Amino acid sequence: MSLETASPIAPYRRHGSNAGQPLTRRDGELKVTGRATYAADNHPAGMLYAVTAVSRIARGRVTSLDVAAAKAHPGVIEVFTPANRPPLSHDPEVKLGPFGFRVEVLQDDTVRYANQPIALVVAESLEAATEGAALLDPKYQAEPARTGFDDGERYSPAAIGVGAPPRTAYGDIEAGLAAAAHIIEADYVTPAQFHNAMEPHAVVAQWDGDHLTLDMPNQALVMSREAYAVWFGVPAENVLIRSPFLGGGFGSKAILNGPQILAIASARQLQRPVKLVLTRAQMYGPVGHRGATWQKLRMGMDGEGRLTALHHHAISATSSFEEFLEPAANASLHLYASSAILAETEGLRLDIGTPGPMRAPGEASGSAALEAAIDEAAEACGMDPLEFRLANYAETEPGTGRPYSSKALRECYAQGAKAFGWAGRPLAPRRMRDEDGLLVGWGIGTALFPCPHFAAQARATLRADGTALVETAGVDMGQGAWTALAQIAAEALGLDPDQVEFHSGVSSLPDGGIAGGSGHTASAGLALHNAGEDAIGRLAELASADPASPLFGAGNIGVIARGGRLHRRDDERRSESYVDILARAGREVVVGTGRMARDEEAVQSWAMNSHGAVFAEVKVDPDLGQVRVTRLVGAFAAGRIINPRLVRSQYYGGMIWGVSFALQEAAVTDPRTGRIMNADLAEYHVPVSADVPSLEAILVPEEDVYVNPLGVKGVGEIGIVGTVGAIANAVWHATGSRVRRFPIRIEDLAQGLR
Ligand code: MOS
């Protein structure tokens, strides 16, 4: 089809109707045609440009800034430094809730990490602001930066991740090890990784008196609105955040950060709109990252290959002034039925920016080490890695004994193994070569991700013309949330998705909760589902009370909503259209509301997770050590699938990130300066198309009647979880070499190959 004959752009293309159908993204054509506006596309009248000057040392003090030179630049309006910091209503050294991190907003001249904002230059143009920042010519009093595992200060945290326990023990680890026939001990190291969303962190801030409007990419609109209200001392309802489109988030846009707060404060001070867009390099510090971990695993196995002890000890790095500790060790608490399990985490203080949640925080790093170590345990027992996993399969949640609300993991293993062709895999490494002489290896990794739910609300308005408007402040950062959420709403309303106008991405709408934790579809979806049911219930009351309606008196029997009509449940031939019901009742609209709700007793009684199994094939050049992933097959069970096209896409994205984690991604810090040396997309390696192998994501059917009334579980993060270990294990199988430092580098592998 040529461009000329292409049909006019539809809001989205339908391939079916409600939940379960692979609709394309509602916002897809807006994005690919450039009509979607991102935060930085906003240019309110009179807008100024802000640029942060950032520190080039990682620890110490700023001793001078040539503010006069910067201010002398034509176009520069103001230079903010600790001497004239714009006022704030919140102390930046005080933590504001679990997601409210301490940040740098020019509170003093201290430098706590490289790339920390040390001044903000505001000018009439981006060029003037950039040049003004360059003229500041900062001088420093530098102290040695602590950036490595051996440099920092270790401590025992009170909590890890967002409030998870730092130590969990089931049974007696030492007794389990003493009773073991085989023991393995292995240390795995994962590096600092950065979110590197395509769209940088940005904000366009406008003040009107004490009313604030923010155009910014934001994964947590209502939560952020409340936090900004505290920072600026205004009522939350005075803050409007618009975040219609995001160019990726991955966790880094769920938290407030210093540069954006500074830009908003400067707009208030100067009484003009201000835009700030971070450069790629400036995103390596003040806006979060996946913290580095050093994970020590010890496992004991009896003569039958069953785990007698599983000890997962993580050292998780954080900044010198704030805490976000990768809950990596806790990845060992759910999958394998060892008679003793100990998961514990130490914190490590470094002169770095504070880490934060990044796609599958904890699970990604933790399972990379766990799944690779499980492979070592299987090897020690002389067992096939899949057989070993099945032998240690936890029928109920280890330690707590809670049954799984549903667990189709055996089916994931079976379907994945069949599609991949796992049978016949030689047990010993270095037994397979391709026609070019490359070493071939096959590996497996297990994936698990929990089912967090967030408070969420929604509104559904049935209109006189038979269409509906549904509203929730949800966020679509590319995952397809708006499409899947509209499908859920349409189903509850008995309409087709294209009869449903979907409003989202603005903080003034009912709180859609956080787009994160792989919990957005379930959380906002439940709110929308309930809002739709509420609207239908109100419509049914109108009809049921109307003697002229074929539904008269249906009240106690109930109705079914389908195809824009209500049908009596006991006699579906008796039906009436929404249009007719509303017309006779003289109503323009019927409004329903709903919130995320689930059976709290079920939540306490069952262990709830999504599951998966990933199979990887790699080829390794025996002379050069170059690794290529050639095939990935993932089989995932995540409850009810609302939109298989989007879900498969989420799995692909996760699996590709797994390739990245296993083989490519790492921030490299110069220990002399504490600066990250590859703070750009040229040298911070992520997969390009040529790095992405043949991918297959199998959607294993699963019905979970306990997780929530929709049966929906998370799909956004689980793909990365199994893939990293699968690739590491395939590399071992190809080469016989266990590389325990991620990413697996040529230089680490080449030693083993010699
Ligand atoms: Mo995320 S790390 O759940 O955006």
Side-chain angles (χ1 to χ4, degrees):
M1 186 164 62
S2 74
L3 272 181
E4 287 71 34
T5 60
S7 59
I9 289 162
Y12 63 104
R13 215 177 288 284
R14 284 187 52 213
H15 296 279
S17 59
N18 295 343
Q21 298 301 313
L23 305 193
T24 53
R25 286 171 171 78
R26 285 173 92 92
D27 52 348
E29 297 196 18
L30 286 176
K31 284 181 172 171
V32 297
T33 55
R35 292 185 297 152
T37 50
Y38 292 79
D41 294 330
N42 290 285
H43 298 88
M47 186 184 78
L48 298 170
Y49 294 80
V51 165
T52 55
V54 300
S55 166
R56 292 178 63 78
I57 64 166
R59 185 181 177 207
R61 287 179 51 236
V62 179
T63 53
S64 86
L65 289 166
D66 195 345
V67 173
K71 284 188 93 162
H73 187 285
V76 169
I77 300 283
E78 184 57 282
V79 177
F80 293 103
T81 72
N84 64 337
R85 175 185 85 147
L88 294 165
S89 300
H90 174 68
D91 180 349
E93 300 297 343
V94 174
K95 194 169 175 62
L96 187 65
F99 287 101
F101 289 177
R102 298 175 180 89
V103 295
E104 294 64 46
V105 282
L106 309 178
Q107 58 264 46
D108 54 37
D109 61 9
T110 312
V111 174
R112 311 197 275 200
Y113 57 90
N115 278 341
Q116 175 188 317
I118 54 172
L120 186 82
V121 179
V122 185
E124 293 285 356
S125 70
L126 175 62
E127 292 76 10
T130 305
E131 289 174 20
L135 289 168
L136 285 170
D137 190 23
K139 300 283 186 288
Y140 304 97
Q141 183 188 320
E143 291 173 47
R146 302 156 298 182
T147 57
F149 283 109
D150 299 329
D151 308 333
E153 174 197 333
R154 292 221 211 146
Y155 70 102
S156 293
I160 58 177
V162 187
R167 186 177 191 281
T168 305
Y170 305 133
D172 184 336
I173 280 292
E174 298 307 329
L177 288 168
H182 311 277
I183 288 178
I184 64 120
E185 289 189 31
D187 284 23
Y188 281 84
V189 174
T190 66
Q193 301 174 347
F194 283 76
H195 302 79
N196 274 311
M198 290 282 282
E199 179 200 22
H201 291 70
V203 64
V204 175
Q206 304 180 61
W207 285 93
D208 178 6
D210 61 358
H211 286 254
L212 172 62
T213 301
L214 300 173
D215 292 292
M216 69 185 327
N218 193 307
Q219 292 175 240
L221 291 169
V222 175
M223 187 177 82
S224 299
R225 176 184 71 181
E226 282 159 18
Y228 283 120
V230 174
W231 274 95
F232 293 102
V234 297
E237 57 270 23
N238 287 14
V239 180
L240 179 70
I241 306 179
R242 299 186 291 215
S243 190
F245 301 101
L246 284 83
F250 316 122
S252 74
K253 291 169 179 167
I255 46 181
L256 273 59
N257 58 66
Q260 283 169 324
I261 292 170
L262 272 178
I264 299 165
S266 73
R268 189 183 216 180
Q269 188 79 353
L270 299 170
Q271 298 193 16
R272 303 234 334 237
V274 168
K275 179 198 287 196
L276 172 82
V277 181
L278 293 189
T279 65
R280 181 64 52 183
Q282 289 172 346
M283 292 163 68
Y284 283 71
V287 294
H289 68 281
R290 192 196 299 283
T293 69
W294 176 5
Q295 302 177 54
K296 300 159 175 285
L297 283 120
R298 294 194 295 162
M299 294 181 192
M301 289 73 65
D302 67 15
E304 271 77 56
R306 276 191 298 266
L307 286 163
T308 58
L310 168 51
H311 182 194
H312 196 154
H313 177 148
I315 299 156
S316 296
T318 189
S319 66
S320 62
F321 56 93
E322 181 55 285
E323 188 170 84
F324 182 89
L325 300 174
E326 271 305 289
N330 292 8
S332 286
L333 293 175
H334 307 286
L335 267 175
Y336 299 112
S338 176
S339 30
I341 299 179
L342 173 57
E344 54 184 348
T345 302
E346 280 179 90
L348 174 73
R349 298 257 181 229
L350 297 176
D351 298 311
I352 58 174
T354 305
M358 179 161 143
R359 212 169 190 208
E363 286 82 9
S365 310
S367 78
L370 171 65
E371 288 298 308
I374 281 284
D375 221 63
E376 298 196 43
E379 183 195 359
C381 298
M383 289 173 70
D384 173 85
L386 175 52
E387 290 305 316
F388 184 83
R389 283 168 172 81
L390 290 170
N392 287 289
Y393 187 92
E395 295 289 352
T396 57
E397 191 177 53
T400 72
R402 292 192 303 177
Y404 290 98
S405 61
S406 174
K407 189 183 181 192
L409 180 54
R410 281 185 197 281
E411 195 56 29
C412 295
Y413 283 136
Q415 291 195 24
K418 183 155 182 280
F420 183 83
W422 182 261
R425 171 187 176 276
L427 201 55
R430 229 179 152 130
R431 289 290 190 276
M432 300 195 296
R433 296 218 180 212
D434 75 355
E435 58 276 14
D436 299 321
L438 298 175
L439 297 163
V440 178
W442 292 351
I444 178 178
T446 312
L448 176 141
F449 199 85
C451 299
H453 287 61
F454 304 102
Q457 298 163 29
R459 185 164 53 228
T461 304
L462 279 169
R463 300 185 287 210
D465 64 357
T467 66
L469 167 66
V470 299
E471 300 165 289
T472 190
V475 175
D476 197 323
M477 47 189 160
Q479 79 275 41
W482 289 1
T483 308
L485 292 176
Q487 285 178 265
I488 291 171
E491 184 168 83
L493 288 163
L495 295 171
D496 275 351
D498 54 3
Q499 294 172 294
V500 171
E501 190 179 338
F502 184 79
H503 281 192
S504 203
V506 185
S507 65
S508 52
L509 297 173
D511 182 3
I514 302 171
S518 299
H520 197 34
T521 309
S523 302
L526 283 164
L528 286 160
H529 173 83
N530 292 335
E533 294 227 310
D534 186 38
I536 291 296
R538 290 168 192 273
L539 189 70
E541 277 172 27
L542 293 178
S544 184
D546 182 350
S549 171
L551 299 165
F552 178 63
N556 291 333
I557 294 146
V559 297
I560 294 167
R562 190 174 59 226
R565 300 179 74 82
L566 295 185
H567 303 254
R568 272 181 75 114
R569 197 175 284 279
D570 61 338
D571 180 2
E572 294 196 25
R573 287 165 307 176
R574 294 166 70 181
S575 72
E576 191 170 30
S577 72
Y578 303 171
V579 174
D580 290 346
I581 298 169
L582 288 167
R584 242 193 355 269
R587 296 281 292 266
E588 284 302 312
V589 294
V590 166
V591 181
T593 59
R595 56 180 58 241
M596 193 288 292
R598 52 205 296 241
D599 178 349
E600 279 310 315
E601 200 185 313
V603 171
Q604 299 306 322
S605 313
W606 304 87
M608 297 173 174
N609 299 283
S610 299
H611 296 91
V614 180
F615 297 79
E617 178 185 82
V618 302
K619 294 187 176 180
V620 182
D621 186 308
D623 300 316
L624 303 176
Q626 186 191 52
V627 182
R628 290 277 184 211
V629 182
T630 47
R631 282 197 296 143
L632 279 179
V633 175
F636 302 97
R640 179 160 168 242
I641 299 303
I642 298 298
N643 183 320
R645 176 193 304 267
L646 299 173
V647 167
R648 196 170 277 118
S649 171
Q650 286 289 285
Y651 292 150
Y652 288 161
M655 290 160 76
I656 293 167
W657 204 321
V659 174
S660 194
F661 193 126
L663 299 177
Q664 296 184 293
E665 260 188 87
V668 180
T669 301
D670 182 340
R672 296 166 302 181
T673 62
R675 295 214 310 259
I676 295 167
M677 304 313 291
N678 57 343
D680 57 72
L681 283 179
E683 299 204 49
Y684 183 93
H685 291 176
V686 295
V688 298
S689 293
D691 298 310
V692 177
S694 149
L695 290 175
E696 184 176 352
I698 299 166
L699 276 49
V700 174
E702 182 187 46
E703 192 180 317
D704 188 332
V705 298
Y706 298 107
V707 65
N708 59 49
L710 290 173
V712 168
K713 296 183 180 180
V715 299
E717 294 167 274
I718 190 169
I720 186 174
V721 178
T723 304
V724 186
I727 292 170
N729 296 337
V731 169
W732 169 79
H733 191 238
T735 64
S737 190
R738 295 266 182 211
V739 177
R740 300 188 181 87
R741 180 173 70 132
F742 290 104
I744 296 170
R745 294 174 175 85
I746 286 179
E747 58 267 35
D748 291 336
L749 202 50
Q751 288 179 349
L753 287 173
R754 273 194 214 111

